[in-house]
Amino acid sequence: MNALAARFNAIFGADMAGPLAALAAVLVVFGFASPHFLTGATFGSVAFQLPELGVLTLAMLMPILTGGLNLAITFTANIAGLTLAWTLQANGGIDAGPGAFLIGSALAVAVGAASGLVMGLVIAFTRAHPILVSLSMMIFLRGLGEFLTRGGDISGFPTFIAPIGHGSILGIPVPLLILIACVIASHILLSRSKLGFSTYMIGSNIESARYSGINTRKVLVLVYMLSGVMAAVAGIIMLARFNSVRVGHGESYLLITVLACFLGGINPFGGFGRVLPVFVALIVLQLLSSGLNLLGANQHLTTAVWGILLIVVMVLRWFSAKFIRIVK
């Protein structure tokens, strides 16, 4: 048994056991509970619904690895989406061309990066707590968006944008391909770059990282800028998927991104965790949501289940850590 566990850890990593066990449990439970769960329709629905949540989770991941948090990701995504929408509206709306879309997308990414830049500078230079800083940014972006849109939606976009949210290439949803590209980029960044190494070092002990020669201020600014950029990508996907954009889109995603990170083995205090287990945890949560929908549960109950699941994950991780200490 120990040899089998050691082989599994060598191939997949010890942090993959929990997400894979949860995935197996969800497939078995809902497979028996609903005859329509283990079907192509369910997995196709998950493939289209997962990407915007997945990219937002990646936006949350890097700040958590530094021991921080970015509570502004959903509103950063919405402001970025609004930026793209306003650019398209200013260039003909439904008749806007690909050039306007490219310019609007670049501006949307720039807005996301600017949001992260401000948070990163404040956190790095004032040492204010990331929760307070990102909460302040969240409130600012929400208020700004409500003021500029008067609480309404913006819709009416060119038809060539629709495939980004609903199209497929060789049977694979385009938004899922975008998510996979973001997952690969995040994995390479965290596992093979100097910025990734510095991110883990800061999460483990920021003072030790500083004394070892790491420019911790620069790293924190870059981490929050990349978080904002990733949130902006999610905002573009959401615009294409819903064919509209407003400030309140995806508010419930914030809880799920945190839950996915913790379910994927990310240390809430920073310094430990990988992208791939988080990706598997995202699939688990989306399958859980789809399974509950098939059983007739409404979205409010699903959100409640996610909240309880977050508490359960925390308790189980505490018991697991305590058991390991006892065994040692």
Side-chain angles (χ1 to χ4, degrees):
M1 192 68 178
N2 290 336
L4 183 62
R7 184 173 178 80
F8 177 89
N9 292 342
I11 297 174
F12 298 103
D15 53 353
M16 191 67 87
L20 287 178
L23 177 62
V26 167
L27 291 174
V28 170
V29 170
F30 286 106
F32 280 108
S34 172
H36 304 292
F37 182 71
L38 297 177
T39 62
T42 297
F43 292 107
S45 176
V46 168
F48 276 104
Q49 294 175 12
L50 182 65
E52 64 260 25
L53 172 60
V55 178
L56 282 173
T57 301
L58 295 176
M60 179 66 78
L61 174 61
M62 286 189 69
I64 291 181
L65 287 175
T66 65
L69 204 65
N70 184 358
L71 298 177
I73 54 171
T74 56
F75 290 102
T76 300
N78 290 325
I79 286 293
L82 286 169
T83 301
L84 173 56
W86 287 324
T87 304
L88 293 171
Q89 291 290 325
N91 288 274
I94 196 171
D95 297 318
F101 173 73
L102 292 176
I103 293 172
S105 297
L107 290 174
V109 170
V111 166
S115 169
L117 173 64
V118 172
M119 286 186 289
L121 288 172
V122 173
I123 292 168
F125 285 90
T126 71
R127 299 193 182 184
H129 200 288
I131 291 179
L132 296 177
V133 176
S134 60
L135 179 62
S136 301
M137 179 59 72
M138 180 186 77
I139 295 170
F140 167 72
L141 293 176
R142 179 173 187 171
L144 178 64
E146 293 284 1
F147 170 74
L148 294 174
T149 63
R150 294 177 174 82
D153 295 4
I154 297 179
S155 58
F157 307 122
T159 55
F160 66 81
I161 294 177
I164 297 176
H166 302 280
S168 298
I169 297 177
L170 300 177
I172 304 174
V174 172
L176 182 61
L177 291 174
I178 296 173
L179 171 60
I180 291 173
C182 291
V183 168
I184 293 173
S186 297
H187 173 71
I188 293 173
L189 176 69
L190 289 172
S191 62
R192 299 181 180 275
S193 73
K194 182 179 178 181
L195 177 60
F197 173 77
S198 300
T199 298
Y200 286 112
M201 286 288 291
I202 288 174
S204 298
N205 190 313
I206 190 169
E207 293 301 325
S208 296
R210 184 178 294 113
Y211 286 126
S212 66
I214 294 174
N215 188 337
T216 56
R217 288 177 173 175
K218 179 181 178 181
V219 171
L220 285 172
V221 171
L222 287 175
V223 162
Y224 280 88
M225 282 185 66
L226 289 173
S227 176
V229 167
M230 201 66 76
V233 173
I236 295 171
I237 296 174
M238 290 163 66
L239 179 147
R241 176 169 160 74
F242 300 127
N243 196 35
S244 67
V245 60
R246 64 179 176 86
V247 177
H249 272 164
E251 284 187 83
S252 63
Y253 287 163
L254 182 63
L255 165 67
I256 311 168
T257 61
V258 176
L259 175 56
C261 287
F262 293 163
L263 184 61
I266 302 299
N267 188 330
F269 301 106
F272 178 80
R274 295 189 302 142
V275 174
L276 296 182
V278 173
F279 181 59
V280 176
L282 279 167
I283 297 173
V284 171
L285 294 175
Q286 195 60 64
L287 286 172
L288 176 64
S289 176
S290 297
L292 290 172
N293 288 336
L294 287 174
L295 295 179
N298 61 35
Q299 183 60 42
H300 299 296
L301 178 59
T302 302
T303 303
V305 170
W306 279 328
I308 291 297
L309 184 57
L310 179 57
I311 296 174
V312 170
V313 168
M314 291 297 184
V315 173
L316 289 177
R317 290 183 68 169
W318 178 80
F319 273 116
S320 176
K322 189 173 181 180
F323 175 75
I324 291 174
R325 286 197 298 268
I326 293 173
V327 170
K328 290 181 178 180

